[in-house]
Amino acid sequence: MRPDVETRGDLERVMTDFYKVALLDPLIGHHFAELDLETHIPLTVDFWEKALFGRPTYYRNTFAIHHASHALTPMVPEHFVRWVEIFCAAVDRGFHGETAEKLKLRARTIADAMS
């Protein structure tokens, strides 16, 4: 049985798995092509650690960052749908449980808000 998401390390696994798939995805991969994953993954883990566990690890404005990215490479609703599919699949490949479900729900909520 797969464990539930409980630690920062678990979030790192999810994000690493997500980007392995997202970078190669024909619909959304171009949005991530220029990312330095060594820098970016710890920041996304900080974000999710704060969003999921309430830990004070992230202090940036996520919406402003994505707004600036959108100005360079426009994002359409289909991109957010695909992002959620890949994200939830990354969670499901490694984890199962209440916190994993909460993580996927938060991802859907954030994607809806950004879309």
Side-chain angles (χ1 to χ4, degrees), residues 42-62:
L43 290 172
T44 60
V45 172
D46 287 348
F47 172 83
W48 286 110
E49 193 172 24
K50 183 175 184 179
L52 195 60
F53 302 126
R55 296 184 186 127
T57 53
Y58 188 82
Y59 301 98
R60 302 175 77 184
N61 184 331
T62 302

Side-chain angles (χ1 to χ4, degrees), residues 57-72:
T57 53
Y58 188 82
Y59 301 98
R60 302 175 77 184
N61 184 331
T62 302
F63 285 99
I65 292 166
H66 286 84
H67 182 71
S69 177
H70 172 73
L72 298 173

Side-chain angles (χ1 to χ4, degrees), residues 2-13:
R2 293 168 288 156
D4 202 353
V5 176
E6 296 177 350
T7 68
R8 180 177 178 87
D10 294 342
L11 293 171
E12 288 170 354
R13 282 182 51 207

Side-chain angles (χ1 to χ4, degrees), residues 29-108:
H30 65 281
H31 289 293
F32 307 108
E34 300 299 318
L35 286 179
D36 170 9
L37 291 181
E38 286 187 36
T39 302
H40 187 72
I41 287 178
L43 290 172
T44 60
V45 172
D46 287 348
F47 172 83
W48 286 110
E49 193 172 24
K50 183 175 184 179
L52 195 60
F53 302 126
R55 296 184 186 127
T57 53
Y58 188 82
Y59 301 98
R60 302 175 77 184
N61 184 331
T62 302
F63 285 99
I65 292 166
H66 286 84
H67 182 71
S69 177
H70 172 73
L72 298 173
T73 308
M75 295 176 250
V76 298
E78 293 81 14
H79 294 158
F80 292 98
V81 169
R82 185 65 182 139
W83 180 88
V84 168
E85 290 171 352
I86 295 170
F87 189 92
C88 290
V91 174
D92 288 341
R93 276 190 292 279
F95 301 95
H96 175 77
E98 184 178 334
T99 307
E101 292 302 314
K102 184 177 174 182
L103 177 57
K104 294 186 298 184
L105 178 60
R106 289 268 170 99
R108 288 182 188 102

